[in-house]
Amino acid sequence: MPYYPYLRARQYELLALRELLMAGKLPLQVVPVIEPIRDMPQLRQTLRMFRECEGGALGVVLNPDVGDLTAATDLDSLFDIYGHNEPDPLIGERGTIFPAVLLNNDATTVAQQVQNADSALMKDRGIVFVSENDRGRIKELRNFVFHAVAASDSERLTRDLKRNGIVAKRILFSDPFIKRENNAAYGEEEYQDEFFSDDHLWYTDKYEGFGDYSIVGDNYDERGGMPKAVALHIVYFDDEWNLRVHHFVSDVSDDAHETPEKFVQTVRMLDAWHIQRNDMKQAHQTIGLQKLIGHAKTGTYPGLPTIKKLCIMHHLELMGWFLSERPDR
C-alpha cells in the first residue's frame, strides 16, 4: 500500500525527489504529492522525470492554496505548467502524473475540467485532500468522480463523508511533525526525541494508504534568514517499529556567520548517535544520512536548503525501505 508524502514543491523538495528517483531509492510504495508554489524549471524537470520513470507516480495539486499559482484556475494554463505543452500532460509513456485536488473554492471547477478532459484521470487515480476546515464543502464531492479521499482519522469527518454518501477509498493523512517556536526549542530535553507516527503499522485496517507532510509540516512560510540555532530532524524506527524523530540542535547565537560552525556541530552529534545505533535491526543507512554524516567527517557546510533536502531524502527513503522490505515481519 502506498505512502503519500505531501510536499510544497520548493526547490529543495523537488531536488530531494529527483535525487532519490535517479538513485533508484524511491520504490513504487512511495507516491509523492506536490503542491506547486510557482512555475519554475525544476518543477517541469521533476514532472518530466516521473513521467519517464517506469512505474513512477507523482500526484500534482491542480488548485494550490499557497504560493504564486493560487489564483490560476485556468486549467489550460496549469496543464501548460504541468505538461510542458505535451498533448497528454498528466500521462507519461512509462510513469503517471495524476491529479490531486484540495477541497477549496476551486475544487469543483478544477475537478470537473479534469474529468471533462479525461474521465479516467480523476476516477482511476485522482485524490481529493479534505481537512477539518473543509467540512462545510464535503457535499461538493458529490459533483464529480474521484479515486480516493485523503483525510485525517477524525470520526467527525468520517461521519460527514458517510452522511453525504461519499464512498470513495480513504487515505489516512496526518501532520505528525510538531512545529516549535524556533529551532532552539527542539533542543530542550523534553522535545529532543519525540514520537512521530505509527500510521505505517495500522493504516491497512481501514485505509488503502497513508500520508503526511514529512518532517516539514503543514506550515507554509517563505521567509528566509539565518536561524539562531541549526536543527536537524532525523526520523528513525524504535524497537516496536514506531517512527520517532530526533532533533539535533546546535548552540544558540545571533551571529549568522556562525551558521556553518553550528551545522558541523549538529552533524557531529548525528554521527555519534548513528554509530550507537548502527548495529540495530531498525537502522538503515540512507543516502540523505550518508551525506549528512559525510559533512561531519569533512567539516563542510552545504547551505540550509541542502540540509533540509537531505533530511527529507532520509525520511522518504527510510519509509520506502520499510514498506518494500517490511523488516518488522
Side-chain angles (χ1 to χ4, degrees), residues 35-192:
E35 180 182 355
I37 57 174
R38 63 180 61 90
D39 182 13
M40 54 184 174
Q42 292 84 354
L43 173 62
R44 296 176 185 252
Q45 292 164 8
T46 302
L47 292 167
R48 189 178 303 113
M49 285 184 63
F50 273 89
R51 189 179 288 109
E52 296 172 353
C53 176
E54 186 69 44
L58 177 72
V60 181
V61 172
L62 296 177
N63 55 334
D65 267 343
V66 297
D68 296 344
L69 303 177
T70 54
T73 55
D74 177 1
L75 201 60
D76 291 335
S77 298
L78 291 174
F79 271 19
D80 177 49
I81 295 172
Y82 302 155
H84 199 38
N85 295 315
E86 297 183 17
D88 296 306
L90 295 178
I91 303 174
E93 293 181 3
R94 292 181 288 179
T96 300
I97 309 297
F98 64 89
V101 175
L102 306 181
L103 193 56
N104 59 22
N105 290 329
D106 300 324
T108 299
T109 301
V110 170
Q112 284 286 12
Q113 286 183 270
V114 176
Q115 195 166 285
N116 293 341
D118 186 341
S119 60
L121 277 177
M122 284 299 294
K123 180 181 178 181
D124 296 343
R125 297 299 298 267
I127 297 175
V128 180
F129 285 82
V130 181
S131 70
E132 284 282 348
N133 295 332
D134 299 324
R135 291 181 59 238
R137 295 195 179 101
I138 284 178
K139 63 182 179 181
E140 296 176 20
L141 296 177
R142 294 178 294 188
N143 296 335
F144 52 91
V145 180
F146 54 93
H147 172 68
V149 171
S152 71
D153 196 41
S154 163
E155 287 295 330
R156 185 167 58 177
L157 269 178
T158 300
R159 292 194 301 270
D160 287 339
L161 291 167
K162 184 176 181 180
R163 186 180 305 114
N164 284 277
I166 310 301
V167 294
K169 294 181 179 180
R170 294 283 302 276
I171 294 168
L172 174 63
F173 195 77
S174 62
D175 183 13
F177 186 77
I178 300 173
K179 192 74 173 177
R180 305 292 176 195
E181 59 270 25
N182 52 50
N183 282 350
Y186 292 108
E188 296 179 19
E189 186 174 354
E190 61 181 314
Y191 301 143
Q192 198 170 50

Side-chain angles (χ1 to χ4, degrees), residues 45 68 108 137 156 195 222 242 246 251 265 272 289 291 304 325:
Q45 292 164 8
D68 296 344
T108 299
R137 295 195 179 101
R156 185 167 58 177
F195 174 82
E222 282 280 35
N242 298 301
H246 195 98
D251 294 336
Q265 182 186 7
L289 200 61
K291 290 187 176 183
L304 292 176
E325 302 292 334

